[in-house]
Amino acid sequence: MSEEIMNIGSAEGDQVLELDINRLKAFKNHPFKVTADMSMVELKDSIEKYGILNPLIVRPVPEGYYEIISGHRRKFAAKQLGYTKVPVIIKVMKNDEAIVAMVDSNLQREYISPSEKAHAYKMRYDVMKKKGNTNVRGRVVHKTKGKRTVEILAEEFGESTKQIQRYLKLTELIPELLTKLDDDQLSISAAVEIAFLKEEEQKWFLEAMDYAQATPSLSQAQRIKKLSQNNELTEDDLKDILCEIKREDISRVTFKTEQLKKYFPKDYTVEKMKREIIDILKIWMDKYWNL
């Protein structure tokens, strides 16, 4: 056996090998972000204390390396800790089968951003839409006769058909707007409406958000969409609409991003800061309200 691969046991019947970490590559077009957030800190602490308890799932690819199906975050944490080898289970998979396995394993994570879920659903949808791929796992999971792909996907993930359609539509947003969606600067309902805009109009919309320092309500987003569909939308229209005062803003407690940035690491997004603040408030409530 090569120095790069060593047999170290088995897990539920699968052979566990130790593989050089540099031979592991991210899954192509992997939609799930690997970031240095609090959950990553917890993962690193766990690996430092107990090692990698769950082997990574990888598959060999023609380019001569191994593509990660499950375990991108474990690889990142291990590399940060100085690991040179990690435990893996090697599975031979075709592309479509690998996409299904990658998406399904990552959708089990505790927190998934809207853009991650949207692109993950889109990858699964595209695989299932291919002729002969309604049975992508090698077994019949649903009675598919007479059902649309989006309906089958909705059943599989416990979502409504409408919700799946909304997530699929979100993949048509430009990357900058997807970031604002993930950072909670744009609601999912409004983002779906904005996704109907042409690419150039979405760029105008992004500039208008920065100009007005505001996010659209659902009704505003619907008005913007209607103007676009009527080929009447202009940059000035977007600025005018976003500069309107929304009723809920009158009583809303808000902070400027700059006010909070100094209390968090530089790479923290607005959404990360929000989650951290909520976690701190929960700890504070548990400590002082339950005395």
Side-chain angles (χ1 to χ4, degrees), residues 87-99:
V88 304
I89 293 172
I90 300 174
K91 292 183 176 290
V92 177
M93 296 182 182
K94 295 180 179 179
N95 287 337
D96 288 346
E97 184 184 2
I99 289 172

Side-chain angles (χ1 to χ4, degrees), residues 260-290:
L260 300 174
K261 281 285 189 183
K262 61 183 178 181
Y263 299 107
F264 295 92
K266 292 182 179 179
D267 62 340
Y268 265 46
T269 63
V270 172
E271 178 60 29
K272 287 184 189 177
M273 290 191 287
K274 177 182 174 181
R275 293 203 302 271
E276 290 285 322
I277 291 169
I278 291 173
D279 287 342
I280 292 169
L281 288 173
K282 286 179 181 176
I283 293 171
W284 180 79
M285 286 180 65
D286 290 341
K287 184 174 183 180
Y288 294 103
W289 285 30
N290 296 325

Side-chain angles (χ1 to χ4, degrees), residues 27 46 71 94 111 141 160 194 196 233-234 272:
F27 196 93
S46 174
K94 295 180 179 179
Y111 175 77
V141 181
S160 68
I194 299 303
F196 282 90
L233 186 63
T234 68
K272 287 184 189 177

Side-chain angles (χ1 to χ4, degrees), residues 53-77:
L53 301 178
N54 296 313
L56 286 69
I57 308 298
V58 302
R59 69 163 183 155
V61 289
E63 289 81 359
Y65 57 85
Y66 292 85
E67 189 174 55
I68 301 173
I69 303 297
S70 172
H72 292 80
R73 298 177 73 253
R74 276 165 280 166
K75 179 203 170 184
F76 179 89

Side-chain angles (χ1 to χ4, degrees), residues 43-146:
L43 178 59
K44 285 174 64 177
D45 287 344
S46 174
I47 291 176
E48 195 167 24
K49 290 179 183 177
Y50 309 111
I52 299 175
L53 301 178
N54 296 313
L56 286 69
I57 308 298
V58 302
R59 69 163 183 155
V61 289
E63 289 81 359
Y65 57 85
Y66 292 85
E67 189 174 55
I68 301 173
I69 303 297
S70 172
H72 292 80
R73 298 177 73 253
R74 276 165 280 166
K75 179 203 170 184
F76 179 89
K79 198 158 189 175
Q80 291 282 306
L81 292 168
Y83 275 57
T84 58
K85 295 182 179 180
V86 292
V88 304
I89 293 172
I90 300 174
K91 292 183 176 290
V92 177
M93 296 182 182
K94 295 180 179 179
N95 287 337
D96 288 346
E97 184 184 2
I99 289 172
V100 171
M102 181 276 297
V103 169
D104 289 359
S105 64
N106 281 280
L107 281 174
Q108 305 305 314
R109 281 165 40 183
E110 183 176 350
Y111 175 77
I112 302 170
S113 70
S115 70
E116 290 174 323
K117 184 177 284 192
H119 283 295
Y121 284 166
K122 183 65 164 62
M123 291 178 79
R124 285 284 266 106
Y125 177 82
D126 288 343
V127 167
M128 294 170 71
K129 280 288 286 185
K130 292 180 181 179
K131 187 177 181 179
N133 269 339
T134 53
N135 182 18
V136 289
R137 282 183 173 146
R139 57 187 175 87
V140 176
V141 181
H142 301 282
K143 294 180 180 178
T144 61
K145 187 176 181 180

Side-chain angles (χ1 to χ4, degrees), residues 150-245:
V150 69
E151 293 175 318
I152 301 169
L153 191 60
E155 287 183 8
E156 182 131 349
F157 290 105
E159 301 265 21
S160 68
T161 300
K162 183 176 180 180
Q163 188 71 342
I164 293 291
Q165 290 171 326
R166 282 155 56 88
Y167 274 111
L168 294 177
K169 190 65 184 179
L170 289 175
T171 62
E172 297 179 28
L173 287 171
I174 61 175
E176 295 87 348
L177 289 179
L178 281 173
T179 297
K180 286 193 176 293
L181 174 64
D182 288 343
D183 287 347
D184 207 24
Q185 297 179 51
L186 190 61
S187 70
I188 290 180
S189 57
V192 170
E193 302 297 323
I194 299 303
F196 282 90
L197 272 58
K198 304 176 185 69
E199 183 176 342
E200 183 181 20
E201 292 172 335
Q202 290 189 33
K203 291 177 180 178
W204 294 350
F205 174 78
L206 183 67
E207 292 172 1
M209 281 187 68
D210 291 337
Y211 173 83
Q213 287 295 291
T215 59
S217 65
L218 175 57
S219 62
Q220 288 174 323
Q222 289 171 336
R223 284 162 55 199
I224 291 169
K225 171 188 169 183
K226 187 173 181 179
L227 285 170
S228 173
Q229 291 178 328
N230 292 334
N231 294 317
E232 297 173 352
L233 186 63
T234 68
E235 294 180 74
D236 287 339
D237 288 331
L238 286 166
K239 291 178 181 178
D240 290 343
I241 292 172
L242 289 177
C243 282
E244 296 171 351
I245 297 176

